[in-house]
Amino acid sequence: VKNTIGVATGTDALLLSLRALGVGQDDEVITVANTFIATVLPIVYLGAKPVLVDIDEETYEIDPKKLERAITRKTKVIIPVHLYGMPAPMGEIMRIAKRNKLFVLEDACQAHGSSINGKQCGSFGDIAAFSFYPGKNLGAAGDGGAVVTNNDKLAETVKVMRDVGQTQKYNHD
């Protein structure tokens, strides 16, 4: 991807990504039920409603058929989770998102190095979040996270938000 922005944690990566996508009060964000609480907490923190979709019992990833049925007029973002390094079905998810004009935020916090047909997880959606928590498959000595995106505007928004609105030293837009 074109842009990588370092942030404090994977949870911050999810939160800042959702904020950059404009998620707020009364929006709905769809994600998979089989995930860590850090995927859902940023949704709640922003006043949006998490909509949990069950897994496909063969892949343990979000079930695209159930995902499509969960979409309402309030849905704004889909968060597929590449759990345990196993990619979510991104081809189907991206088709559903495009058809319904929804953003896709990949929770790639456990997907370092994972790919689908040679394309890296974290490069399919509008934006993606990575975690470098010590227990992750690519862990740091302490906590850490990153947001990745090909969208320059989203990247700039995340950069400013991660630094309390600062665009240059002591200038807080």
Side-chain angles (χ1 to χ4, degrees):
V1 295
K2 270 176 35 177
N3 303 286
T4 301
I5 304 101
V7 295
T9 67
T11 306
D12 282 351
L14 290 163
L15 176 63
L16 293 172
S17 295
L18 287 169
R19 287 184 69 196
L21 293 170
V23 172
Q25 194 74 35
D26 298 323
D27 289 328
E28 291 181 356
V29 177
I30 298 174
T31 193
V32 66
N34 182 29
T35 190
F36 185 60
I37 193 168
T39 307
V40 177
L41 287 178
I43 300 166
V44 175
Y45 176 76
L46 292 172
K49 177 184 175 185
V51 177
L52 303 178
V53 172
D54 208 353
I55 60 167
D56 175 319
E57 290 182 21
E58 293 199 16
T59 66
Y60 291 92
E61 297 294 338
I62 194 166
D63 185 323
K65 292 177 188 120
K66 293 174 185 168
L67 164 63
E68 192 142 34
R69 287 194 299 263
I71 295 170
T72 71
R73 61 178 182 75
K74 290 185 174 188
T75 305
K76 189 161 195 170
V77 178
I78 299 168
I79 303 179
V81 179
H82 306 297
L83 198 57
Y84 310 120
M86 298 299 297
M90 292 309 297
E92 293 171 271
I93 291 167
M94 294 308 296
R95 283 189 290 279
I96 291 167
K98 185 175 183 180
R99 190 168 46 249
N100 291 281
K101 298 180 177 135
L102 300 173
F103 293 112
V104 174
L105 160 56
E106 290 177 74
D107 181 335
C109 290
Q110 293 188 14
H112 310 82
S114 297
S115 63
I116 302 170
N117 298 323
K119 185 171 179 169
Q120 296 294 307
C121 290
S123 67
F124 289 91
D126 298 285
I127 195 164
F130 284 89
S131 171
F132 305 111
Y133 185 78
K136 299 292 183 186
N137 42 358
L138 179 60
D143 215 336
V147 174
V148 300
T149 182
N150 283 316
N151 183 309
D152 293 334
K153 185 177 181 199
L154 287 176
E156 191 56 37
T157 300
V158 170
K159 284 179 192 174
V160 170
M161 287 189 305
R162 76 167 174 187
D163 196 17
V164 293
Q166 188 167 241
T167 52
Q168 55 185 314
K169 192 168 181 111
Y170 304 122
N171 185 358
H172 301 269
D173 292 342

